[in-house]
Amino acid sequence: MKSVLFSELFERPLRNGITVASRDRGVGMRMIGMKQIFGTDRIRASVGELVPEDRVDRTKDVLQHGDLLFARQSLTFEGAGKCSIFESSDEDCTWESHLIRAQLDPRLANPLFFYYYFASDMGRRNMSTIITQVAAAGVKGTDLSKLLVPLPPLNVQAGVAEVLGALDDKIAANERLSGAVQDLLQERFALLRLDGFTGDGSFLTVSDLFDVNPRTSQKLAGQAPYLGMKDLPDSSMTVGSWSTREAKSGARFINGDVLLARITPCLENGKAGYVDFLENTEVGVGSTEFIVFRARSPLLSAVPFFLTKSERFRDFAIKHMQGTSGRQRLAAADVADYRLAKVDDESLNRFGELSLSLLKRVKTAVSESRALARTRDELLPLLMNGKITVKDAEAVVSDAV
């Protein structure tokens, strides 16, 4: 396969993003930053903090559909040079100085193909040759420009992008379904007014409805499903990834439990998740920095998740963190004593029935997405290495979607 310098494919030279101090952010144009790059591979909406538009050169600093963004720096070697693709056109958006923008010439290069290339093992190995490691790992634009990259015919690039993109599109549709369900249930939870205690009259506490950090009697030996802090979602409800490791110390949880990060800045960032990925009798192990909620009634198993997203609860939790700066934690005892408004059993159970019914659909969609992602990740190196043709991959994808 023909190889060329990456710079030969540029429509415009590589460009670093803009620098805007935190104190100057809050209004203006969206700016994609490191959080978005490491949280999203295909950026399909304008996201990030707002920055003043007078700091943006509109002739040079506004992203176009198909632009590639590379992380200039990372705390880990693996993260340096991480590539995302910008696919939004809903509003103008810029990018921050820790990112490098590559805008490819559409007459030579399909940007989605090269996004997949840099996500592949082949692309990561290539990127690793230019990563420097000092205090942090990083890549330089000059070195990125000089990388030798494969250049198959444009129609082959388009075919690879289309077949892998079909899998990603189905995954994205499932994510939209999950997001819509979560939004609906959060609205219904607010209508319950369970988190509406005003300080007057009778009340419940969290511990009246849920066990906080409950004991799990089953003894664990050998390998167990493990959920680290990085695996706990910031905004979505369901857990997308986990690993296995020796069952030693850490939080214990089962299906139907809700996990909440108790340490700064993870608590402030909204890290929480609903556990539904274990086998029926399986027990998972997680970070020691998780607080575990377990509903006394299985019907109410999802309720603690929506409580953790309530503005009143979040304000309470953040204000009750204790410890030295940078290592502050929320105590489980404070959570257990948190006061809730009394809600009639019928309303609570009706919400529980609705949530469990909808979350079954979400679980099916998430499981399908995991299978689709596995198929995509298996096809990616085979396509990049030329071991299978686009036609072969199309047959596999048509069966999957």
Side-chain angles (χ1 to χ4, degrees):
M1 186 186 300
K2 178 182 178 182
S3 294
V4 299
L5 292 174
F6 194 34
S7 60
E8 294 180 39
L9 306 180
F10 297 163
E11 185 167 49
R12 304 171 76 176
L14 293 181
R15 185 170 177 83
N16 295 343
I18 64 174
T19 301
V20 180
S22 297
R23 64 178 179 275
D24 297 327
R25 301 178 186 183
V27 294
M29 184 184 296
R30 293 285 176 190
M31 180 177 72
I32 292 175
M34 297 289 275
K35 180 178 180 180
Q36 288 73 44
I37 290 296
F38 286 103
T40 311
D41 295 323
R42 297 178 66 178
I43 302 172
R44 291 173 164 170
S46 295
V47 291
E49 295 186 77
L50 295 169
V51 296
E53 293 200 29
D54 60 9
R55 304 289 291 274
V56 180
D57 184 337
R58 284 190 164 273
T59 65
K60 299 177 181 178
D61 297 330
V62 176
L63 289 167
Q64 304 298 317
H65 185 93
D67 283 355
L68 301 179
L69 292 169
F70 296 88
R72 290 176 58 205
Q73 292 178 318
S74 172
L75 295 176
T76 65
F77 186 89
E78 294 76 15
K82 195 269 184 186
C83 179
S84 293
I85 184 169
F86 182 75
E87 297 182 303
S88 173
S89 57
D90 57 351
E91 63 178 289
D92 289 340
C93 193
T94 189
W95 70 102
E96 67 149 305
S97 59
H98 289 97
L99 306 177
I100 303 171
R101 190 273 309 273
Q103 196 170 97
L104 305 185
D105 185 339
R107 296 168 298 180
L108 301 172
N110 182 301
L112 190 55
F113 169 84
F114 280 95
Y115 155 75
Y116 284 120
Y117 166 72
F118 283 111
S120 70
D121 289 342
M122 182 190 300
R124 287 304 304 164
R125 284 195 301 270
N126 198 7
M127 184 68 71
S128 70
T129 64
I130 64 170
I131 296 175
T132 58
Q133 181 88 54
V134 189
V139 297
K140 297 178 181 177
T142 51
D143 295 331
L144 182 59
S145 295
K146 296 174 184 176
L147 274 184
L148 278 175
V149 297
L151 187 65
L154 199 55
N155 67 315
V156 174
Q157 294 180 42
V160 171
E162 183 176 355
V163 73
L164 296 176
L167 294 168
D168 273 341
D169 288 344
K170 179 58 176 173
I171 293 170
N174 285 339
E175 289 174 348
R176 288 193 295 273
L177 169 65
S178 300
V181 167
Q182 183 175 327
D183 290 344
L184 171 64
L185 290 177
Q186 194 70 53
E187 290 175 3
R188 295 293 180 90
F189 175 80
L191 293 175
L192 276 178
R193 297 196 59 78
L194 180 66
D195 196 24
F197 179 66
T198 60
D200 298 322
S202 59
F203 59 87
L204 298 170
T205 65
V206 163
S207 61
D208 289 327
L209 294 176
F210 316 106
D211 292 323
V212 180
N213 286 348
R215 289 185 177 276
T216 300
S217 57
Q218 182 176 339
K219 292 185 177 181
L220 297 179
Q223 299 287 308
Y226 177 79
L227 200 65
M229 187 63 76
K230 66 180 179 60
D231 301 314
L232 199 62
D234 291 337
S235 54
S236 65
M237 185 172 183
T238 54
V239 173
S241 62
W242 62 92
S243 58
T244 58
R245 67 166 57 178
E246 196 73 21
K248 295 181 180 178
S249 62
R252 263 51 171 178
F253 52 84
I254 59 176
N255 276 343
D257 287 352
V258 170
L259 308 177
L260 172 68
R262 71 186 188 109
I263 191 170
T264 190
C266 302
L267 174 62
E268 295 93 327
N269 291 340
K271 278 187 170 288
Y274 178 73
V275 178
D276 65 354
F277 60 88
L278 299 172
E279 298 298 328
N280 288 337
T281 60
E282 206 169 30
V283 176
V285 180
S287 167
T288 57
E289 302 296 354
F290 291 163
I291 292 176
V292 181
F293 296 82
R294 185 170 300 161
R296 304 270 174 78
S297 165
L299 199 59
L300 305 183
S301 61
V303 171
F305 175 83
F306 298 104
L307 176 64
T308 69
K309 299 298 181 181
S310 166
E311 184 177 347
R312 177 175 172 265
F313 177 86
R314 282 181 50 76
D315 183 62
F316 169 90
I318 292 169
K319 286 181 178 177
H320 281 74
M321 297 177 80
Q322 297 180 352
T324 58
S325 178
R327 301 299 294 176
Q328 293 182 317
R329 292 175 173 84
L330 174 65
D334 287 333
V335 173
D337 291 338
Y338 181 73
R339 293 182 177 185
L340 303 169
K342 281 194 171 181
V343 175
D344 64 275
D345 290 343
E346 182 180 354
S347 296
L348 265 178
N349 290 337
R350 193 161 54 242
F351 175 82
E353 290 169 356
L354 176 65
S355 63
L356 291 186
S357 173
L358 292 177
L359 289 175
K360 284 181 182 178
R361 299 184 193 179
V362 170
K363 182 176 182 178
T364 299
V366 170
S367 297
E368 181 186 45
S369 291
R370 290 192 190 110
L372 293 170
R374 283 195 299 271
T375 300
R376 179 199 62 205
D377 295 343
E378 289 166 0
L379 290 175
L380 180 54
L382 298 176
L383 285 165
M384 291 299 167
N385 289 320
K387 292 184 177 180
I388 64 171
T389 65
V390 171
K391 188 174 182 180
D392 294 332
E394 286 175 342
V396 175
V397 170
S398 66
D399 291 337
V401 299

